[in-house]
């Protein structure tokens, strides 16, 4: 059975304790993810830092090259960390997609008032907007968000 302790330090490093007693630290450094293994040296009575591998931080799967230098437990923990980071990124992007929508709609209202912008658009563009709008309204209702009463000043 694998026991893991995750300590997240400002979303840039994670310390993982696996069943072999090794400590693996995962850090994001620039465009790379560094997997460091800390092993206790009995003779020196202290831990030593050993690299378990480095890979591009945009990869969501542990690369074969890095996986070769790890134990099975370390591979599982590294992949779990990569999966958790990908999920966190997806949640952040979903939130941004929703919270930025009012600003985008306000910009669209301004664009509709510009006759030069209107010359560039076709009826298919407006059809796509209406279809997306209807799909968004359905999704909001399905998620339990009812349409509020209009608060616009007339």
């Amino acid at each position: 059975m694998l026991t893991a302790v995750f300590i997240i330090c400002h979303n840039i490093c994670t310390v993982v304790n696996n069943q072999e007693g090794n400590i693996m630290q995962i850090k994001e450094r620039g465009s790379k993810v560094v997997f460091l293994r800390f092993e206790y040296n009995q003779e020196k009575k202290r831990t030593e830092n050993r690299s378990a591998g480095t890979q591009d931080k945009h990869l969501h799967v542990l690369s074969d090259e890095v996986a070769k230098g790890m134990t099975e437990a370390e591979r599982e923990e590294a992949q779990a960390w990569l999966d958790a980071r990908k999920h966190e990124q997806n949640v952040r992007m979903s939130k941004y997609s929703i919270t930025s929508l009012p600003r985008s709609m306000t910009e669209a209202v301004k664009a509709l008032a510009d006759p030069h912008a209107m010359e560039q658009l076709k009826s298919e563009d407006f059809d796509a907007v209406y279809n997306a709008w209807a799909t968004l309204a359905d999704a909001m209702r399905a998620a339990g968000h009812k349409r509020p009463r209009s608060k616009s000043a007339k």
Side-chain angles (χ1 to χ4, degrees):
M1 186 73 175
L2 184 66
T3 40
V5 178
F6 292 98
I7 303 169
I8 299 177
C9 314
H10 300 291
N11 208 14
I12 57 170
C13 74
T14 305
V15 177
V16 179
N17 184 5
N18 62 30
Q19 67 188 19
E20 282 91 26
N22 299 331
I23 300 287
M24 188 167 66
Q25 188 175 30
I26 304 170
K27 292 183 176 184
E28 292 184 24
R29 289 188 179 158
S31 64
K32 301 285 183 187
V33 173
V34 180
F35 301 96
L36 299 170
R37 179 185 304 126
F38 289 95
E39 296 174 344
Y40 185 73
N41 185 329
Q42 291 285 356
E43 295 171 4
K44 295 181 182 178
K45 296 187 180 190
R46 57 184 274 195
T47 58
E48 292 180 342
N49 184 2
R50 304 237 191 256
S51 176
T54 302
Q55 75 176 35
D56 186 276
K57 84 176 200 177
H58 302 292
L59 295 176
H60 298 295
V61 177
L62 193 61
S63 70
D64 292 336
E65 182 182 327
V66 173
K68 288 178 189 175
M70 293 182 172
T71 65
E72 181 62 31
E74 288 171 337
R75 283 191 292 273
E76 289 175 12
E77 292 298 333
Q79 189 57 55
W81 183 85
L82 291 169
D83 292 343
R85 191 181 63 157
K86 182 179 180 183
H87 175 71
E88 184 178 300
Q89 289 171 341
N90 289 342
V91 168
R92 202 171 32 247
M93 286 305 296
S94 294
K95 180 180 176 188
Y96 175 76
S97 296
I98 294 168
T99 58
S100 66
L101 190 57
R103 186 179 71 242
S104 297
M105 292 175 81
T106 301
E107 292 297 317
V109 169
K110 290 177 187 175
L112 288 170
D114 182 2
H116 298 294
M118 295 305 295
E119 292 172 359
Q120 305 288 325
L121 298 172
K122 300 175 185 169
S123 66
E124 294 86 23
D125 297 325
F126 295 104
D127 292 345
V129 171
Y130 275 117
N131 289 333
W133 194 350
T135 303
L136 176 64
D138 291 343
M140 289 177 66
R141 275 192 294 277
H145 302 286
K146 296 184 179 182
R147 183 176 179 164
R149 295 193 179 266
S150 179
K151 295 180 182 178
S152 61
K154 294 185 179 184

